[in-house]
Amino acid sequence: MLKSLIASFLALFIVFSSVVANSSEDAQVQALSSTQKAREVVVKLVSLDPAIGSTCSAVIIAPARALTAAHCISIPDMALKYDDGRVFPVLAALPDIMGRDVATLLVPDLVGPTALTTDRPIEQDEFVYAVGYPYGIGNVLTVGNFQFRTYNPEEERYYLISTVMVAPGNSGGALFVVRDGVPYLVGIVVAYASSPHLAVSVELP
């Protein structure tokens, strides 16, 4: 009798473990299948001055609108550049009225896919990825999990901390949370030369 109960328990445990593993694997496959949607809304922020070149990243949020990190907008003659060579000059850059390290870029001729947002707060351990142009070398996607939200009283800003790896050039790029295979923009990446791989993102409302 005891052996029979143990055998039944082990069988149920194996089935349960298989379901959990498959569910986790399905979620990850679903999440990774959404990467193309995320990549196509993140572009390179460059200067039209060839002596300066690429500096940061930016996220397309609406026709003629993009977001980047505020510390990126001091460069002259800014433009957004796609990997296929298309270049769209930036008409104006508007710093965030709340004082966060975020700026809105006005790009009159910009059209195409835009990032989706969500009203649901990000939760601990949710699957996330960052998309940007570290060191200006290419459209790079790194994956990880959201860890926690932190508040900097000196800056009066909230930040999202995650395990994704970022580097200088990622600044202004996107942090996406993936739900049901859909990437939602939840933060703008901040990456300083003094703190490479520090996965910090300015939380968007």
Side-chain angles (χ1 to χ4, degrees):
M1 181 68 177
L2 180 59
K3 289 183 178 180
S4 177
L5 287 173
I6 292 174
S8 298
F9 173 77
L10 288 175
L12 287 173
F13 177 76
I14 290 170
V15 170
F16 175 76
S17 299
S18 176
V19 169
V20 171
N22 288 336
S23 298
S24 178
E25 184 178 341
D26 289 345
Q28 190 168 12
V29 169
Q30 211 176 35
L32 291 175
S33 70
S34 67
T35 59
Q36 184 58 37
K37 298 175 184 177
R39 288 181 185 276
E40 64 188 5
V41 299
V42 179
V43 296
K44 190 183 296 185
L45 179 63
V46 303
S47 171
L48 295 176
D49 181 346
I52 299 175
S54 173
T55 61
C56 286
S57 307
V59 189
I60 313 303
I61 58 168
R65 296 288 187 278
L67 292 180
T68 191
H71 72 265
C72 292
I73 64 174
S74 59
I75 64 172
D77 302 321
M78 286 186 295
L80 301 184
K81 185 176 182 179
Y82 283 84
D83 287 348
D84 61 9
R86 288 177 296 154
V87 176
F88 296 89
V90 175
L91 177 65
L94 309 175
D96 183 66
I97 60 173
M98 298 171 63
R100 299 172 302 174
D101 194 355
V102 179
T104 300
L105 304 177
L106 307 183
V107 193
D109 299 325
L110 185 65
V111 295
T114 59
L116 299 176
T117 57
T118 177
D119 294 330
R120 178 180 149 195
I122 190 170
E123 299 175 5
Q124 188 175 26
D125 294 326
E126 277 199 279
F127 184 81
V128 295
Y129 46 69
V131 182
Y133 287 80
Y135 304 109
I137 59 175
N139 189 301
V140 175
L141 182 147
T142 53
V143 302
N145 295 90
F146 171 63
Q147 297 298 298
F148 59 88
R149 180 182 289 101
T150 186
Y151 180 73
N152 185 327
E154 293 181 2
E155 298 180 351
E156 298 184 342
R157 296 173 181 166
Y158 280 98
Y159 290 98
L160 303 177
I161 308 299
S162 62
T163 59
V164 296
M165 295 183 67
V166 296
N170 272 108
S171 285
L175 182 73
F176 293 99
V177 63
V178 184
R179 292 168 178 160
D180 297 324
V182 179
Y184 293 98
L185 178 66
V186 292
I188 298 298
V189 174
V190 179
Y192 298 101
S194 59
S195 57
H197 311 312
L198 182 61
V200 179
S201 303
V202 179
E203 185 175 22
L204 297 177

